[in-house]
Amino acid sequence: MNKISSINAQRLNRRLEELARIGARSDGGVCRLAFSDADLKGRNYVASALGDLGLEVRIDAVGNLFGILKGQSVRKAIMCGSHTDTVATGGRYDGALGVLAALECIERMVEEGFSPAQSIVLASFVNEEGVRFMPDMMGSLYHSGSLTLEDVLGATDKDGVSIGSELNRLSYSGQDTLNDLDITAFVELHIEQGPVLEDAHIPIGVVSGVQGLSWQEVTVSGKSNHAGTTPMDRRLDAGVVANQLIHEIHALPLAMDGLRLTIGSVTYHPSLINVIPNKVTFTIDLRHPNPTQLEQAERLVQGILQAPQPCTVTSKPLARVDPCSFAPNVVEAAQKAAKSAGYPFTTMISGAGHDAQILQSCYPSGMIFIPSKGGVSHDVSEYSSPDDIAAGANVLLGALLELSEGSHL
Ligand code: GLV
Ligand code: MN
Ligand code: MN
């Protein structure tokens, strides 16, 4: 495929297994929630591999990790990577693949004594998942200047613990920046997390863009009282109202093509069998590839929430990312790399959110997908085959060479 022969698939798959042992769940999945002890151990695993390769390792003020392989032009650089945090019920590949495949590509260059025309920067961004601390893609939002240091350090989890205090506890953050580098492109390899590639029996997806995302939390406030004594017509039951709202909101995708809608978390207070709930909070995750349609979906949700109710209903935004289109030169580099390595590919958009869609605002960016078994992700059963992993990493290597050298060697 080029002067650097393909990646070492065995080593990459071994590293995926090793990283999966950090934060391993007893059901075969992985839990490395952002800024937890397991997350730190996972990040240290990557940092120590970068150090072993003789790369310069940098950590910024929020914990984003970078490893730099200096090229012939030290200043100009191509960035590649992803994240190693997971959802609480996560699998072994979401994020981990992009970071460890980037490491593998760099290791192959080091082994061959190859000095790329541009430096290659591995990036592992913090808190991509956004399940413990919101918003998601937080590390890349900070890196791209869309969140300030204060925004990040002040974010709290449901127990009121802040990222600032977790970073202190873990002694993890540094002061490094990449201000001395001129990043000319970012490429992220990731599992598809959906069924498109597997259904079509195609090993590679070249990603042309990512659908938009809108997250909010709704609070319904009522009044607690005794379950046995309070007549049904004298209740202010937050549970009843919340369930009616959820039912109406769940019907929206039937009326809007392409809308993905998830109510993934519902919390009752005080959540006791014989007490009428005085408060219910629930989350809404809306996704659509078309910005106008996404806004329309948000308006429809607001219309439902603002209709007169016996209980008070309020909502607060948690995260919002517009749909993005990736840079044509990065998309073409990935297509060219797949073609010259002989892998069938299709060009597609991403249903899941990714750091690459944030970085597209500051660097020309793009992504490469490989199939997810059964289209399953954000679940402990997430699986991608070693062959597909090797194919994806080879395409990443080809794309990095294409972008750095201007053409395949
Ligand atoms: C990120 O994992 C997302 O929720 O799309
Ligand atoms: Mn991911
Ligand atoms: Mn994820």
Side-chain angles (χ1 to χ4, degrees):
M1 105 187 187
N2 46 54
K3 206 162 110 188
I4 301 181
S5 56
S6 55
I7 57 97
N8 182 333
Q10 227 180 347
R11 179 169 57 203
L12 173 55
N13 281 293
R14 172 180 53 76
R15 282 211 178 104
L16 279 161
E17 270 177 35
E18 283 171 2
L19 183 54
R21 281 187 218 130
I22 301 173
R25 295 165 48 99
S26 58
D27 55 12
V30 179
C31 177
R32 286 192 301 268
L33 285 175
F35 305 109
S36 63
D37 290 0
D39 182 33
L40 174 70
K41 280 190 196 136
R43 308 178 71 67
N44 282 340
Y45 173 87
V46 176
S48 94
L50 293 170
D52 291 347
L53 279 180
L55 267 58
E56 182 190 341
V57 176
R58 296 187 191 177
I59 297 173
D60 75 9
V62 303
N64 289 322
L65 168 68
F66 304 102
I68 304 168
L69 173 68
K70 290 203 170 60
Q72 290 159 41
S73 155
V74 174
R75 186 174 175 81
K76 281 199 168 191
I78 310 288
M79 183 183 271
C80 51
S82 193
H83 61 97
T84 57
D85 67 309
T86 71
V87 297
T89 54
R92 301 164 158 227
Y93 308 96
D94 177 358
L97 172 66
V99 172
L100 295 180
L103 175 64
E104 176 55 36
C105 292
I106 290 173
E107 181 147 12
R108 287 296 296 125
M109 294 184 198
V110 172
E111 277 175 343
E112 297 286 335
F114 174 78
S115 174
Q118 298 189 34
S119 296
I120 307 287
V121 179
L122 178 149
S124 178
F125 292 103
V126 287
N127 190 25
E128 190 273 351
E129 296 292 4
V131 290
R132 180 176 175 207
F133 297 100
M134 290 187 203
D136 54 349
M137 280 92 77
M138 189 181 258
S140 46
L141 281 166
Y142 170 75
H143 180 76
S144 66
S146 301
L147 285 180
T148 64
L149 183 57
E150 292 68 38
D151 292 333
V152 174
L153 299 185
T156 52
D157 68 8
K158 65 176 171 34
D159 300 317
V161 178
S162 73
I163 291 181
S165 66
E166 285 297 68
L167 284 174
N168 279 340
R169 181 180 71 79
L170 300 167
S171 306
Y172 193 66
S173 56
Q175 292 307 320
D176 298 328
T177 67
L178 297 183
N179 291 344
D180 54 325
L181 298 179
D182 172 12
I183 312 272
T184 61
F186 174 75
V187 202
E188 179 172 7
L189 172 66
H190 207 282
I191 54 169
E192 183 205 326
Q193 311 184 271
V196 175
L197 293 175
E198 186 181 69
D199 285 358
H201 304 288
I202 295 175
I204 296 293
V206 173
V207 188
S208 57
V210 183
Q211 68 176 345
L213 163 161
S214 165
W215 286 0
Q216 59 184 299
E217 182 182 73
V218 179
T219 301
V220 180
S221 304
K223 187 161 175 30
S224 280
N225 206 337
H226 195 288
T229 59
T230 315
M232 294 310 286
D233 61 352
R234 287 173 54 176
R235 297 177 177 218
L236 215 47
D237 187 331
V240 170
V241 171
N243 278 297
Q244 276 163 357
L245 294 172
I246 289 170
H247 182 70
E248 282 179 58
I249 292 167
H250 268 150
L252 290 177
L254 297 174
M256 187 183 285
D257 216 28
L259 176 64
R260 303 250 159 92
L261 185 153
T262 307
I263 295 179
S265 168
V266 182
T267 312
Y268 281 67
H269 303 267
S271 195
L272 299 169
I273 189 166
N274 54 359
V275 181
I276 296 166
N278 60 31
K279 188 168 87 166
V280 176
T281 57
F282 63 92
T283 57
I284 307 175
D285 174 320
L286 294 173
R287 317 247 182 157
H288 203 290
N290 177 311
T292 317
Q293 298 275 86
L294 184 61
E295 280 169 22
Q296 171 68 356
E298 290 173 316
R299 273 194 297 275
L300 290 171
V301 167
Q302 277 316 307
I304 293 171
L305 297 179
Q306 280 163 15
Q309 300 289 350
C311 294
T312 313
V313 179
T314 56
S315 66
K316 73 167 184 208
L318 297 174
R320 181 118 189 5
V321 189
D322 275 330
C324 97
S325 295
F326 284 136
N329 69 314
V330 183
V331 172
E332 277 158 27
Q335 289 169 331
K336 203 165 162 189
K339 216 176 281 172
S340 62
Y343 298 116
F345 67 92
T346 186
T347 303
M348 61 189 288
I349 70 155
S350 171
H354 297 289
D355 291 312
Q357 88 196 90
I358 304 300
L359 295 174
Q360 169 62 22
S361 68
C362 47
Y363 315 132
S365 298
M367 296 188 74
I368 300 155
F369 277 171
I370 60 165
S372 292
K373 185 172 176 222
V376 174
S377 181
H378 281 187
D379 184 69
V380 298
S381 63
E382 179 181 279
Y383 178 78
S384 292
S385 75
D387 284 352
D388 287 341
I389 286 168
N394 276 324
V395 176
L396 176 65
L397 176 62
L400 291 175
L401 293 171
E402 179 68 32
L403 289 163
S404 146
E405 313 305 303
S407 69
H408 270 65
L409 295 177

